[in-house]
Amino acid sequence: VSLTSLLHRASLLLASAALAAGFAWERQWSWAAFFLAAGGVGWIAAQLLAPKTYPAAARSASNRLGSVMFIFVVIAAALGILAEMPSLAMLVAILAALAAWDLNAFQARLALAPKDEKTLALEKAHLLRLGWVLGAGLFLSLAGLLVQIRLSLLWAMLLGVVVVFGIRLGLDALRGR
Amino acid sequence: MTNRFWLLTVTIYGLLFLGMATLQGTALLLAIPLLVYLGAAILFAPLEEQQGRSHLSIQRQVSAHVVTQNTPVQIKVTLVNEGPAADELFLQDNIPAKVKQIQGDTRKLIPLAAGETAELDYSVSLGRGELDLQNTQAILSEHFGLLQRAIQLTNPGKIRAIPESLRLRKLTIQPQQTRGFSGPIPARQKGSGMSFWGVREYQMGDSLRRINWKVSARRTQWRDTSRTQDLFSNEFEQERIADVGLILDAREQTNTFLHGQDLFEYSVQATAALSEAFLADGHRVSLLTYGYGMSRVYPGYGKIQRELILNALAKVTPGSNYALESLNNLPTRLFPARSQLVMISPLGAQDFPAFIRLSRDDYEVLLVSPDPVSFAANIQSGKNRPEDLPNLHTAMRLARLERNLLLRKLNRLGVQVVDWPVDQPLDRTLNAVLGRQRLFRRNLKAVGL
């Protein structure tokens, strides 16, 4: 079993466990049990849809299932936020779901690669970048959770425009490296 | 942009909309990891081509362009990246589904650094026909697979699989008309040759070797007291080459196709073997395929002709055409008068009149007929339910009776019929039948008929 596969299953479980923990924190036991069960079903489906050879049909089915699971967790987390469940748990669920969605697709692509050192390097590079991206996402989200500034609408709009242009300029500068 | 990109974008917009609609800042925060993920994908997305010039160059190497069917062919595709690095390269050589891959991979996922080379190395086994490899697909992508750039790299390569040739022993044919060059067929004319033809009086200039001393001695006459001796010389039968016209029946309705096995392939193999055998004997051979349309290889000799015929056989496929449903429209004018025709056909009941026409036109016809009844019986016997077997046996018996009747009628017409059960070697069947007929002719000759 490759590291990608292990991490994929672990992130699936983590997503459902985070959702369940968040809902359990607010004593919503039935919802917590439901999310745990959904996580279990997703885990089993991931096991079944990951044959060694990964024929095209299985790959497509696996990608579809991965997307469905991702959307499901995002909706559940958004509803959890609206129902005032712990934000950190919902954030962790979103991060884990994003990781699971990415790893699911990567695993399917990886099945087409020969089992050699180059593939290992590719896997390592992918996991490293995913780790950085998830870390940055977690950091920025936590910063947003902890630091709260009140702005008027005008300032907020101005800041939004600056951010959009800043991102655009930053990306262009980085891509032109 | 892939479906995953759009799904992620819609999800981010959804979360942002939800946050703003419900005035919940934390809902907006949920979108941040997704935005970072999307941003990273955009940042590392593969660059677009500049001025339509691809940074990837590709080359295909094929171990052989013409092979015998079912022979492995090694294919090597080399891609060179002359542009910037790509996180992932998915390289796929598009080969048709009918081609059997033996070894290696036709697709690969690898990281591709700037100036690096990627290779696909695989071998395939081809059935009879042509494999026209055109494009190799390269998909460059960043690590998350959200933004991809697909490139079709034109990379032509043709492989032709010619039919497998069965080895045949020397075939004896006796057309009524031969050509002017020396060859293996007795021409029914006296001249220089190997077979004894007769004896005639010695003529000035005859080689001493040709004098038949026994006959000359027997004919020695004593006149008065002097002895006059008449000399006699041997005459030999001329041996010539012949015009052989091969006719391959490629009509869909006569060629049985059952459970993935095609009787037509046996017809093609037989045609290839016969053409090789006749060309090896020095005959002038031509080929006509009769199916969806008619295609022809003009008469010729030797290795080049062999290659032309095998190439034509590599391309031929069975087809149907209302105008060519029976052999009645066979263009006999394409073949020299009174020459040898070799028809390779499983035959249909409606084909008998065509043979009457060929016999009337003084063609010497040899029919090699792959047996569709035994072919179907062999395939069906293992596939049927036990309760269906009696019906199958009855059907097979009726079909065999019908076929035997047709073949017997053709035999009476003077057609040399070789009924070939395809599970047996063609060489054995041909020699058994032709040997029998040769013996019959020799006996006829012996009794003066």
Side-chain angles (χ1 to χ4, degrees), chain A residues 3-171:
Chain A
L3 185 60
T4 305
S5 173
L6 273 176
L7 287 174
H8 170 230
R9 284 161 206 183
S11 36
L12 266 177
L13 287 181
L14 180 63
S16 61
L19 279 178
F23 279 82
W25 188 267
E26 294 294 329
R27 299 178 187 284
Q28 300 280 341
W29 302 111
S30 51
W31 281 110
F34 169 72
F35 288 127
L36 273 182
V41 169
W43 192 81
I44 291 165
Q47 292 270 33
L48 292 176
L49 285 176
K52 279 177 189 166
T53 50
Y54 251 107
R59 211 163 48 239
S60 160
S62 170
N63 276 339
R64 269 200 299 274
L65 181 80
S67 296
V68 168
M69 295 281 289
F70 172 62
I71 292 295
F72 172 75
V73 175
V74 169
I75 291 173
L79 291 177
I81 290 285
L82 294 182
E84 296 185 345
M85 301 292 154
S87 307
L88 188 63
M90 299 303 119
L91 189 62
V92 170
I94 285 261
L95 282 165
L98 182 63
W101 184 56
D102 174 86
L103 291 173
N104 181 52
F106 180 58
Q107 203 181 348
R109 296 202 300 278
L110 208 58
L112 305 172
K115 308 279 176 280
D116 57 13
E117 285 177 10
K118 272 194 166 184
T119 309
L120 275 177
L122 177 75
E123 195 177 4
K124 199 176 157 187
H126 183 100
L127 294 176
L128 198 66
R129 184 170 299 167
L130 182 65
W132 277 109
V133 165
L134 292 180
L138 181 66
F139 174 75
L140 290 174
S141 306
L142 281 178
L145 268 179
L146 299 174
V147 181
Q148 291 191 353
I149 307 166
R150 287 199 170 273
L151 293 172
S152 66
L153 181 65
L154 190 68
W155 274 108
M157 283 179 70
L158 192 66
L159 197 62
V161 170
V162 169
V163 164
V164 166
F165 277 100
I167 289 174
R168 171 77 193 271
L169 286 172
L171 280 177

Side-chain angles (χ1 to χ4, degrees), chain A residues 102 109 118 126 129 175, chain B residues 37 42 45 87-88 116 143:
Chain A
D102 174 86
R109 296 202 300 278
K118 272 194 166 184
H126 183 100
R129 184 170 299 167
R175 284 177 65 82
Chain B
Y37 184 81
I42 293 170
D87 289 341
E88 284 180 12
E116 203 182 4
H143 271 309

